[in-house]
Short mmCIF file of all heavy atoms in Angstrom, two decimals:
data_model
loop_
_atom_site.label_atom_id
_atom_site.label_comp_id
_atom_site.label_asym_id
_atom_site.label_seq_id
_atom_site.Cartn_x
_atom_site.Cartn_y
_atom_site.Cartn_z
N LEU A 306 -2.40 -8.16 -4.87
CA LEU A 306 -2.05 -7.32 -6.03
C LEU A 306 -0.68 -7.52 -6.40
O LEU A 306 -0.33 -7.61 -7.58
CB LEU A 306 -2.18 -5.87 -5.56
CG LEU A 306 -3.66 -5.32 -5.47
CD1 LEU A 306 -3.64 -4.00 -4.66
CD2 LEU A 306 -4.35 -5.29 -6.77
N GLN A 307 0.23 -7.78 -5.42
CA GLN A 307 1.65 -8.04 -5.76
C GLN A 307 1.76 -9.27 -6.53
O GLN A 307 2.57 -9.35 -7.54
CB GLN A 307 2.56 -8.04 -4.53
CG GLN A 307 3.94 -7.64 -4.94
CD GLN A 307 4.93 -7.82 -3.75
OE1 GLN A 307 4.59 -8.43 -2.77
NE2 GLN A 307 5.99 -7.08 -3.84
N ARG A 308 1.02 -10.38 -6.15
CA ARG A 308 1.01 -11.50 -6.94
C ARG A 308 0.59 -11.46 -8.40
O ARG A 308 1.08 -12.14 -9.18
CB ARG A 308 0.15 -12.65 -6.10
CG ARG A 308 0.81 -13.18 -4.80
CD ARG A 308 0.12 -14.50 -4.42
NE ARG A 308 -1.34 -14.35 -4.03
CZ ARG A 308 -1.73 -13.94 -2.87
NH1 ARG A 308 -0.86 -13.68 -1.94
NH2 ARG A 308 -3.02 -13.88 -2.71
N ILE A 309 -0.34 -10.52 -8.51
CA ILE A 309 -0.72 -10.38 -9.92
C ILE A 309 0.04 -9.29 -10.72
O ILE A 309 -0.39 -8.81 -11.73
CB ILE A 309 -2.23 -10.23 -10.17
CG1 ILE A 309 -2.76 -8.93 -9.55
CG2 ILE A 309 -3.02 -11.43 -9.66
CD1 ILE A 309 -4.17 -8.54 -9.96
N MET A 310 1.13 -8.84 -10.05
CA MET A 310 2.00 -7.83 -10.57
C MET A 310 1.43 -6.38 -10.72
O MET A 310 1.79 -5.61 -11.60
CB MET A 310 2.57 -8.22 -12.05
CG MET A 310 3.18 -9.59 -12.14
SD MET A 310 4.92 -9.58 -11.75
CE MET A 310 5.52 -8.69 -13.08
N VAL A 311 0.44 -6.08 -9.90
CA VAL A 311 -0.15 -4.89 -9.88
C VAL A 311 0.40 -4.03 -8.65
O VAL A 311 0.28 -4.48 -7.55
CB VAL A 311 -1.62 -4.88 -9.91
CG1 VAL A 311 -2.36 -3.56 -9.67
CG2 VAL A 311 -2.25 -5.50 -11.11
N ARG A 312 0.97 -2.87 -8.78
CA ARG A 312 1.67 -2.19 -7.74
C ARG A 312 0.62 -1.47 -6.87
O ARG A 312 -0.05 -0.55 -7.43
CB ARG A 312 2.64 -1.22 -8.39
CG ARG A 312 3.18 -0.11 -7.54
CD ARG A 312 4.30 -0.56 -6.78
NE ARG A 312 5.16 0.57 -6.28
CZ ARG A 312 5.07 0.95 -4.97
NH1 ARG A 312 4.26 0.43 -4.13
NH2 ARG A 312 5.76 1.94 -4.55
N PRO A 313 0.55 -1.74 -5.62
CA PRO A 313 -0.26 -0.88 -4.78
C PRO A 313 0.26 0.48 -4.71
O PRO A 313 1.46 0.79 -4.30
CB PRO A 313 -0.13 -1.51 -3.45
CG PRO A 313 0.37 -2.95 -3.66
CD PRO A 313 1.23 -2.87 -4.88
N TYR A 314 -0.45 1.54 -5.09
CA TYR A 314 0.04 2.89 -5.40
C TYR A 314 -0.44 3.83 -4.31
O TYR A 314 0.33 4.29 -3.48
CB TYR A 314 -0.26 3.31 -6.77
CG TYR A 314 0.09 4.67 -7.14
CD1 TYR A 314 1.27 5.30 -6.80
CD2 TYR A 314 -0.81 5.44 -8.09
CE1 TYR A 314 1.66 6.51 -7.29
CE2 TYR A 314 -0.48 6.66 -8.58
CZ TYR A 314 0.68 7.24 -8.17
OH TYR A 314 1.03 8.49 -8.44
N TYR A 315 -1.70 4.00 -4.30
CA TYR A 315 -2.25 4.94 -3.27
C TYR A 315 -3.36 4.16 -2.39
O TYR A 315 -4.01 3.36 -2.95
CB TYR A 315 -3.07 6.09 -3.92
CG TYR A 315 -2.16 7.25 -4.39
CD1 TYR A 315 -2.35 7.89 -5.62
CD2 TYR A 315 -1.13 7.74 -3.60
CE1 TYR A 315 -1.55 8.97 -6.06
CE2 TYR A 315 -0.33 8.86 -3.98
CZ TYR A 315 -0.60 9.34 -5.19
OH TYR A 315 0.22 10.39 -5.57
N LEU A 316 -3.55 4.64 -1.22
CA LEU A 316 -4.75 4.29 -0.45
C LEU A 316 -5.29 5.63 -0.27
O LEU A 316 -4.63 6.55 0.51
CB LEU A 316 -4.36 3.58 0.80
CG LEU A 316 -5.38 3.42 1.86
CD1 LEU A 316 -6.58 2.59 1.28
CD2 LEU A 316 -4.87 2.71 3.12
N PHE A 317 -6.49 5.88 -0.71
CA PHE A 317 -7.08 7.19 -0.59
C PHE A 317 -8.01 7.20 0.60
O PHE A 317 -8.86 6.33 0.76
CB PHE A 317 -7.99 7.50 -1.85
CG PHE A 317 -7.25 8.05 -3.01
CD1 PHE A 317 -7.20 7.21 -4.18
CD2 PHE A 317 -6.68 9.24 -3.09
CE1 PHE A 317 -6.59 7.75 -5.29
CE2 PHE A 317 -5.96 9.67 -4.09
CZ PHE A 317 -5.92 8.92 -5.27
N GLN A 318 -7.87 8.29 1.37
CA GLN A 318 -8.91 8.61 2.38
C GLN A 318 -10.25 8.89 1.58
O GLN A 318 -10.15 9.60 0.56
CB GLN A 318 -8.51 9.82 3.15
CG GLN A 318 -9.56 10.48 3.95
CD GLN A 318 -9.85 9.66 5.32
OE1 GLN A 318 -9.38 8.57 5.52
NE2 GLN A 318 -10.86 10.19 5.96
N CYS A 319 -11.33 8.31 1.92
CA CYS A 319 -12.65 8.45 1.18
C CYS A 319 -12.93 10.02 1.27
O CYS A 319 -13.02 10.61 2.38
CB CYS A 319 -13.68 7.61 1.81
SG CYS A 319 -15.19 7.61 0.95
N ASP A 320 -13.26 10.65 0.05
CA ASP A 320 -13.49 11.96 0.02
C ASP A 320 -14.87 12.33 0.63
O ASP A 320 -15.81 11.52 0.60
CB ASP A 320 -13.52 12.42 -1.48
CG ASP A 320 -12.15 12.44 -2.05
OD1 ASP A 320 -11.31 12.58 -1.40
OD2 ASP A 320 -12.08 12.14 -3.42
N PRO A 321 -15.11 13.55 1.17
CA PRO A 321 -16.25 13.95 1.73
C PRO A 321 -17.25 14.39 0.70
O PRO A 321 -17.70 15.51 0.51
CB PRO A 321 -15.83 15.28 2.56
CG PRO A 321 -14.55 15.78 1.94
CD PRO A 321 -13.95 14.62 1.27
N VAL A 322 -17.68 13.39 -0.02
CA VAL A 322 -18.66 13.59 -1.10
C VAL A 322 -20.04 13.39 -0.62
O VAL A 322 -20.21 12.45 0.27
CB VAL A 322 -18.38 12.38 -2.19
CG1 VAL A 322 -19.28 12.72 -3.42
CG2 VAL A 322 -17.00 12.42 -2.66
N ARG A 323 -20.90 14.08 -1.05
CA ARG A 323 -22.37 14.06 -0.65
C ARG A 323 -22.91 12.63 -0.94
O ARG A 323 -22.68 12.11 -2.13
CB ARG A 323 -23.24 15.11 -1.31
CG ARG A 323 -24.56 15.14 -0.79
CD ARG A 323 -25.28 16.47 -1.18
NE ARG A 323 -24.67 17.52 -0.48
CZ ARG A 323 -24.58 18.88 -0.91
NH1 ARG A 323 -25.09 19.10 -2.06
NH2 ARG A 323 -24.18 19.84 -0.14
N GLY A 324 -23.50 11.99 0.06
CA GLY A 324 -24.09 10.59 -0.24
C GLY A 324 -23.07 9.44 -0.03
O GLY A 324 -23.29 8.32 -0.32
N VAL A 325 -21.92 9.84 0.58
CA VAL A 325 -20.94 8.80 0.74
C VAL A 325 -20.37 8.79 2.17
O VAL A 325 -19.63 7.88 2.61
CB VAL A 325 -19.65 9.11 -0.18
CG1 VAL A 325 -18.41 8.40 0.09
CG2 VAL A 325 -20.13 8.91 -1.65
N GLU A 326 -20.93 9.60 3.04
CA GLU A 326 -20.37 9.81 4.37
C GLU A 326 -20.30 8.47 5.13
O GLU A 326 -19.43 8.23 6.01
CB GLU A 326 -21.23 10.82 5.16
CG GLU A 326 -20.65 11.30 6.38
CD GLU A 326 -19.24 12.00 6.39
OE1 GLU A 326 -18.88 12.49 5.36
OE2 GLU A 326 -18.70 12.05 7.44
N HIS A 327 -21.37 7.62 4.98
CA HIS A 327 -21.35 6.30 5.69
C HIS A 327 -20.19 5.41 5.34
O HIS A 327 -19.87 4.43 6.11
CB HIS A 327 -22.70 5.56 5.37
CG HIS A 327 -22.81 5.24 3.94
ND1 HIS A 327 -23.11 6.26 3.02
CD2 HIS A 327 -23.07 4.06 3.25
CE1 HIS A 327 -23.32 5.67 1.71
NE2 HIS A 327 -23.24 4.39 1.94
N PHE A 328 -19.42 5.75 4.31
CA PHE A 328 -18.18 4.92 4.01
C PHE A 328 -16.87 5.54 4.68
O PHE A 328 -15.89 4.85 4.69
CB PHE A 328 -17.88 4.90 2.43
CG PHE A 328 -18.80 3.98 1.72
CD1 PHE A 328 -19.54 4.54 0.69
CD2 PHE A 328 -18.87 2.69 1.99
CE1 PHE A 328 -20.38 3.63 -0.07
CE2 PHE A 328 -19.72 1.87 1.30
CZ PHE A 328 -20.45 2.33 0.25
N ARG A 329 -16.97 6.75 5.13
CA ARG A 329 -15.81 7.46 5.52
C ARG A 329 -15.28 6.98 6.93
O ARG A 329 -16.04 6.81 7.88
CB ARG A 329 -15.99 9.00 5.53
CG ARG A 329 -16.37 9.50 4.12
CD ARG A 329 -16.31 10.98 4.03
NE ARG A 329 -15.08 11.62 4.17
CZ ARG A 329 -14.65 12.49 4.95
NH1 ARG A 329 -15.73 12.96 5.88
NH2 ARG A 329 -13.56 12.99 5.08
N THR A 330 -14.06 6.90 7.00
CA THR A 330 -13.44 6.52 8.24
C THR A 330 -12.59 7.76 8.71
O THR A 330 -12.34 8.65 7.95
CB THR A 330 -12.40 5.43 8.06
OG1 THR A 330 -11.31 5.84 7.24
CG2 THR A 330 -13.05 4.11 7.52
N SER A 331 -12.12 7.70 9.97
CA SER A 331 -11.21 8.71 10.43
C SER A 331 -9.84 8.58 9.74
O SER A 331 -9.45 7.37 9.31
CB SER A 331 -11.01 8.55 11.92
OG SER A 331 -9.68 8.89 12.31
N VAL A 332 -8.99 9.62 9.54
CA VAL A 332 -7.77 9.48 8.87
C VAL A 332 -6.84 8.68 9.76
O VAL A 332 -5.88 8.02 9.22
CB VAL A 332 -7.01 10.80 8.55
CG1 VAL A 332 -7.74 11.64 7.57
CG2 VAL A 332 -6.86 11.67 9.84
N TRP A 333 -7.08 8.48 11.03
CA TRP A 333 -6.28 7.72 11.97
C TRP A 333 -6.36 6.21 11.54
O TRP A 333 -5.34 5.46 11.74
CB TRP A 333 -6.72 7.88 13.30
CG TRP A 333 -6.63 9.18 13.96
CD1 TRP A 333 -7.62 10.12 14.30
CD2 TRP A 333 -5.42 10.07 14.08
NE1 TRP A 333 -7.14 11.28 14.58
CE2 TRP A 333 -5.78 11.30 14.44
CE3 TRP A 333 -4.03 9.77 13.82
CZ2 TRP A 333 -4.81 12.32 14.71
CZ3 TRP A 333 -3.11 10.80 14.15
CH2 TRP A 333 -3.52 11.99 14.56
N LYS A 334 -7.49 5.92 11.04
CA LYS A 334 -7.58 4.47 10.61
C LYS A 334 -6.55 4.10 9.38
O LYS A 334 -5.87 3.16 9.35
CB LYS A 334 -9.01 4.23 10.06
CG LYS A 334 -9.33 2.77 9.58
CD LYS A 334 -8.78 1.67 10.42
CE LYS A 334 -9.85 1.55 11.64
NZ LYS A 334 -9.42 0.36 12.46
N GLY A 335 -6.47 5.08 8.52
CA GLY A 335 -5.54 4.82 7.34
C GLY A 335 -4.09 4.84 7.88
O GLY A 335 -3.30 4.04 7.50
N MET A 336 -3.78 5.75 8.86
CA MET A 336 -2.43 5.72 9.32
C MET A 336 -2.18 4.52 10.13
O MET A 336 -0.97 3.92 10.07
CB MET A 336 -2.25 7.06 10.26
CG MET A 336 -2.18 8.23 9.32
SD MET A 336 -2.33 9.80 10.23
CE MET A 336 -0.81 9.86 11.08
N GLU A 337 -3.21 3.97 10.74
CA GLU A 337 -2.96 2.76 11.50
C GLU A 337 -2.68 1.55 10.60
O GLU A 337 -1.84 0.68 10.84
CB GLU A 337 -4.25 2.39 12.31
CG GLU A 337 -4.09 1.08 13.22
CD GLU A 337 -5.46 0.42 13.51
OE1 GLU A 337 -6.56 0.99 13.00
OE2 GLU A 337 -5.46 -0.61 14.17
N ILE A 338 -3.43 1.61 9.42
CA ILE A 338 -3.21 0.50 8.48
C ILE A 338 -1.68 0.62 7.99
O ILE A 338 -1.11 -0.48 7.90
CB ILE A 338 -4.16 0.67 7.21
CG1 ILE A 338 -5.56 0.17 7.76
CG2 ILE A 338 -3.70 -0.16 6.08
CD1 ILE A 338 -6.75 0.48 6.81
N ILE A 339 -1.29 1.78 7.59
CA ILE A 339 0.10 1.90 7.23
C ILE A 339 1.13 1.48 8.26
O ILE A 339 2.08 0.75 7.96
CB ILE A 339 0.42 3.32 6.71
CG1 ILE A 339 -0.57 3.64 5.58
CG2 ILE A 339 1.87 3.44 6.18
CD1 ILE A 339 -0.65 2.82 4.30
N GLU A 340 0.82 1.88 9.40
CA GLU A 340 1.64 1.55 10.54
C GLU A 340 1.83 0.07 10.74
O GLU A 340 2.88 -0.47 11.06
CB GLU A 340 1.08 2.26 11.89
CG GLU A 340 1.58 1.67 13.20
CD GLU A 340 2.82 2.53 13.68
OE1 GLU A 340 2.64 3.80 13.52
OE2 GLU A 340 3.80 2.00 14.24
N LYS A 341 0.66 -0.72 10.54
CA LYS A 341 0.71 -2.08 10.68
C LYS A 341 1.28 -2.88 9.50
O LYS A 341 1.38 -4.04 9.53
CB LYS A 341 -0.63 -2.63 11.06
CG LYS A 341 -1.05 -2.03 12.41
CD LYS A 341 -1.98 -3.00 13.12
CE LYS A 341 -2.16 -2.46 14.62
NZ LYS A 341 -3.52 -2.64 15.23
N MET A 342 1.55 -2.05 8.39
CA MET A 342 2.10 -2.70 7.24
C MET A 342 3.55 -2.40 7.12
O MET A 342 4.46 -3.29 6.71
CB MET A 342 1.37 -2.34 5.92
CG MET A 342 -0.09 -2.83 5.82
SD MET A 342 -0.89 -2.27 4.34
CE MET A 342 -0.08 -3.25 3.13
N ARG A 343 4.00 -1.18 7.34
CA ARG A 343 5.36 -0.74 7.07
C ARG A 343 6.28 -1.59 8.12
O ARG A 343 6.08 -1.53 9.22
CB ARG A 343 5.49 0.67 7.44
CG ARG A 343 6.83 1.34 7.49
CD ARG A 343 7.46 1.40 5.93
NE ARG A 343 6.73 2.17 5.02
CZ ARG A 343 6.93 2.08 3.73
NH1 ARG A 343 7.81 1.20 3.17
NH2 ARG A 343 6.13 2.86 2.89
N GLY A 344 7.24 -2.17 7.51
CA GLY A 344 8.19 -3.02 8.23
C GLY A 344 7.71 -4.45 8.34
O GLY A 344 8.54 -5.34 8.40
N TYR A 345 6.39 -4.64 8.39
CA TYR A 345 5.96 -6.05 8.52
C TYR A 345 5.78 -6.73 7.07
O TYR A 345 5.61 -7.90 7.11
CB TYR A 345 4.56 -6.10 9.23
CG TYR A 345 4.75 -5.68 10.64
CD1 TYR A 345 4.49 -4.33 11.01
CD2 TYR A 345 5.18 -6.52 11.65
CE1 TYR A 345 4.58 -3.94 12.31
CE2 TYR A 345 5.35 -6.09 12.89
CZ TYR A 345 5.05 -4.82 13.24
OH TYR A 345 5.31 -4.41 14.63
N THR A 346 5.72 -5.98 6.05
CA THR A 346 5.71 -6.45 4.75
C THR A 346 6.57 -5.62 3.78
O THR A 346 6.93 -4.55 4.20
CB THR A 346 4.30 -6.63 4.20
OG1 THR A 346 4.29 -7.62 3.11
CG2 THR A 346 3.63 -5.39 3.85
N GLY A 347 6.87 -6.16 2.62
CA GLY A 347 7.76 -5.41 1.64
C GLY A 347 7.21 -4.06 1.27
O GLY A 347 6.04 -3.85 1.08
N GLY A 348 8.15 -3.16 1.04
CA GLY A 348 7.74 -1.80 0.60
C GLY A 348 6.94 -1.67 -0.69
O GLY A 348 6.12 -0.85 -0.90
N LEU A 349 7.16 -2.65 -1.52
CA LEU A 349 6.50 -2.62 -2.83
C LEU A 349 4.93 -2.90 -2.57
O LEU A 349 4.09 -2.82 -3.49
CB LEU A 349 7.03 -3.70 -3.73
CG LEU A 349 8.19 -3.28 -4.66
CD1 LEU A 349 8.63 -4.39 -5.57
CD2 LEU A 349 7.79 -2.09 -5.59
#
Side-chain angles (χ1 to χ4, degrees):
L306 287 169
Q307 201 185 22
R308 286 198 295 274
I309 63 168
M310 304 274 292
V311 172
R312 164 85 160 102
Y314 175 38
Y315 278 139
L316 171 61
F317 278 114
Q318 169 74 1
C319 187
D320 291 328
V322 187
R323 188 163 289 153
V325 168
E326 190 62 22
H327 57 300
F328 285 124
R329 297 186 71 234
T330 63
S331 141
V332 293
W333 299 112
K334 179 51 75 177
M336 287 167 69
E337 183 206 358
I338 288 171
I339 302 301
E340 168 91 37
K341 295 211 167 142
M342 290 180 75
R343 174 69 61 196
Y345 294 96
T346 196
L349 273 179

